[in-house]
């Protein structure tokens, strides 16, 4: 009996491992509709497939590196612009069911285009609708959603306080989701370290669709991994709780132009 069970298990695992990816965009939409859904925001309503007129606009909206925006660049079967946790769970459910790879995109600044290209059939899970920043000046912390850009984060903090800031990248269009998960260095690094040195909590959805809303529930190992290890290997980051740092009330910025050999600087 035990032998029979082992053989059945082996057959099941083998069929899962060799199942072919389903690349039909309509099948992807049908799959989203089969997943648990919130009637107020159906899963398929946030999905774009190539026949939608806005598909290309949405896809290109966060492709800063034009080397990955060629007609020959592999395109996703669909883009899921998740706005709720249910949308993320549904997208991950379809990734499993249809054997598609998930490319999670926050700011799209991945140097290799890994958040929107792939050599195997895939779809993009876009986090740009996760855009909330909640600044708590009293305890000097903030919650920042994965789809927020670094520029938006700096702006929202400055709206609440001119003596608090956050050490992160120079470029203001980086997505917090990818930027923090890779470390995050910027002008305040010498004084306050990397962004991840000032991340005190996070929320994540794992590949099975389980939601962990804080550091305790996700466990210290996972919390450690998503702060520098590239979060896409561990799940979909919903956002980060960060510790704000003191900054001077006034900052002086001076432009400096370096003369080049070709073009001497004439003052
Ligand atoms: C013009 C430019 C300027 C830069 N300047 C700086 C700088 O000053 N300092 C610095 O430290 N770095 C800098 N970087 C590097 C940048 O921090 C990384 O490329 C970072 O990964 C970008 O994050 P993103 O969300 O914008 O990119 P994305 O392309 O969206 O994501 C990058 C990676 O993270 C994964 N990912 C994204 N969101 C999530 C999520 N919610 N959950 C799980 N995984 C996710 C993606 O799948 C991908 O693998 C710069 C990059 C560029 C192109």
């Amino acid at each position: 009996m035990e032998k029979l069970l082992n053989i059945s298990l082996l057959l099941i695992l083998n069929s899962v491992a060799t199942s072919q990816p389903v690349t039909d965009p309509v099948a992807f939409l049908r799959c989203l509709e089969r997943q648990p859904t919130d009637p107020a925001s159906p899963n398929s309503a946030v999905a774009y497939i190539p026949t939608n007129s806005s598909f290309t606009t949405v896809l290109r909206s966060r492709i800063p590196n034009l080397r990955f925006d060629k007609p020959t660049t592999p395109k996703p079967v669909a883009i899921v612009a998740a706005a709720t946790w249910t949308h993320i769970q549904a997208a991950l459910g379809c990734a499993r069911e249809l054997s598609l790879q998930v490319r999670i995109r926050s700011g799209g600044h991945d140097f290799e285009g890994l958040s929107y290209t792939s050599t195997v059939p895939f779809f993009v899970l876009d986090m740009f609708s996760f855009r909330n920043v909640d600044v708590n000046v009293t305890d000097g912390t903030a919650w920042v959603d994965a789809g927020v850009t670094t520029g938006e984060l700096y702006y929202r903090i400055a709206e609440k306080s001119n003596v608090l800031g956050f050490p992160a990248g120079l470029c203001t269009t980086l997505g917090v989701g990818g930027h923090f998960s890779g470390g995050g260095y910027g002008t305040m690094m010498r004084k306050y370290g990397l962004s991840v040195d000032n991340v005190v909590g996070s929320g994540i959805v794992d590949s099975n669709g389980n939601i962990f809303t804080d550091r305790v529930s996700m466990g210290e190992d996972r919390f450690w991994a998503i702060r520098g290890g590239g979060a896409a290997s561990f799940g979909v980051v919903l956002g980060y709780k960060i510790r704000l740092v003191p900054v001077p009330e006034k900052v002086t910025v001076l432009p400096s132009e370096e003369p080049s050999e070709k073009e001497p600087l004439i003052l």
Side-chain angles (χ1 to χ4, degrees), residues 172-189:
T172 52
T173 48
L174 303 173
V176 157
H179 182 53
F180 291 1
S181 75
Y185 60 85
T187 47
M188 288 197 271
M189 188 170 75

Side-chain angles (χ1 to χ4, degrees), residues 64 102-111 113-116 127 146-147 168-171 173-186 230-233 235-238:
V102 191
R103 293 296 178 161
I104 313 161
R105 181 166 71 171
S106 287
H109 278 59
D110 190 281
F111 287 121
L114 293 180
S115 55
Y116 50 86
M127 296 295 287
L170 282 172
C171 174
T173 48
L174 303 173
V176 157
H179 182 53
F180 291 1
S181 75
Y185 60 85
S233 305
V236 181
V237 170
L238 299 166

